[in-house]
Amino acid sequence: DTEVTQTPKHLVMGMTNKKSLKCEQHMGHRAMYWYKQKAKKPPELMFVYSYEKLSINESVPSRFSPECPNSSLLNLHLHALQPEDSALYLCASSPEGQGIDTQYFGPGTRLTVL
Amino acid sequence: AQSVTQLDSQVPVFEEAPVELRCNYSSSVSVYLFWYVQYPNQGLQLLLKYLSGSTLVESINGFEAEFNKSQTSFHLRKPSVHISDTAEYFCAVKAYTGKLIFGQGTTLQVKP
């Protein structure tokens, strides 16, 4: 089973709202990732968690706040977003996060900020 | 620094025709290469990967890619495409840091 699940599938929020995106995997992977993807562009890495510790933060604005409650779950907390933050947010996981690891992606959450 | 170049932004092709999506990479270290496919309004799905061993790798739906070290290429091919292959295709290289470096993507448009 190489499934990564993400909820919600779609999210519309105002600039003053607080919302969260959720990602889950049950493959026993120890690395999890958040990506942002704009239309017709490749995914851009935002954060990497390795063994439940934040290992990479690609200089993402503080209005995005990741959380890894356990090895199977990854959240992305959103607050005071801007319209330009509207995008597809993809979660991925991989066995170890290094070496010849393969990343498996979820279906994404389509976020619209009004 | 490692990088990936996908030479064609769009590839239109008729159904049942062969197709090649080109990918070149730059890297001074061992490379691990991937092709991902993204169907409309979906996430990325792993299509195939080269980690080591045989330079020709195949997917379950008829795609294949060949790792060519001398030409630093990892082109994706299919001998006969279907309408359902219409999608965005991303080539990626695994950086020594563990990050995936993506190309800009190629839109494959299969016409009836």
Side-chain angles (χ1 to χ4, degrees), chain B:
Chain B
Q2 290 166 298
S3 66
V4 176
T5 302
Q6 290 183 243
L7 297 159
D8 307 292
S9 59
Q10 292 190 27
V11 174
V13 64
F14 286 105
E15 196 173 17
E16 298 182 10
V19 71
E20 178 180 79
L21 307 184
R22 297 180 292 168
C23 172
N24 286 91
Y25 68 91
S26 68
S27 175
S28 58
V29 297
S30 298
V31 289
Y32 309 115
L33 293 157
F34 304 82
W35 275 101
Y36 285 88
V37 59
Q38 187 172 31
Y39 298 102
N41 300 312
Q42 294 189 25
L44 273 68
Q45 297 177 29
L46 179 66
L47 192 57
L48 44 74
K49 60 186 177 183
Y50 171 78
L51 303 179
S52 65
S54 173
T55 57
L56 184 65
V57 289
E58 298 176 353
S59 72
I60 57 172
N61 56 356
F63 282 95
E64 64 178 32
E66 185 160 19
F67 170 59
N68 187 319
K69 188 174 181 179
S70 62
Q71 300 199 1
T72 61
S73 68
F74 190 54
H75 300 334
L76 182 69
R77 300 184 183 96
K78 189 170 184 180
S80 175
V81 294
H82 302 285
I83 294 285
S84 59
D85 293 321
T86 294
E88 190 78 13
Y89 291 79
F90 291 100
C91 181
V93 64
K94 196 83 179 298
Y96 65 90
T97 58
K99 293 183 189 180
L100 267 182
I101 311 291
F102 287 96
Q104 288 301 303
T106 297
T107 303
L108 175 63
Q109 300 165 319
V110 181
K111 305 176 189 178

Side-chain angles (χ1 to χ4, degrees), chain A residues 2 9 15 33 37 44 48 55 59 64 74 76 83 85 112:
Chain A
T2 55
K9 194 175 172 78
M15 288 191 285
Y33 310 76
Q37 186 182 26
E44 299 171 25
V48 181
S55 60
S59 302
F64 295 91
L74 185 66
L76 185 63
D85 296 320
T112 302

Side-chain angles (χ1 to χ4, degrees), chain A residues 32-78:
Chain A
M32 296 185 77
Y33 310 76
W34 279 116
Y35 288 85
K36 174 184 178 180
Q37 186 182 26
K38 299 287 259 184
K40 299 295 185 184
K41 295 291 185 184
E44 299 171 25
L45 184 64
M46 300 174 72
F47 303 103
V48 181
Y49 273 83
S50 181
Y51 289 83
E52 298 160 53
K53 286 186 171 27
L54 184 64
S55 60
I56 295 177
N57 177 339
E58 291 288 302
S59 302
V60 179
S62 60
R63 57 186 184 268
F64 295 91
S65 175
E67 179 197 19
C68 189
N70 60 56
S71 60
S72 301
L73 278 175
L74 185 66
N75 298 319
L76 185 63
H77 302 298
L78 314 172

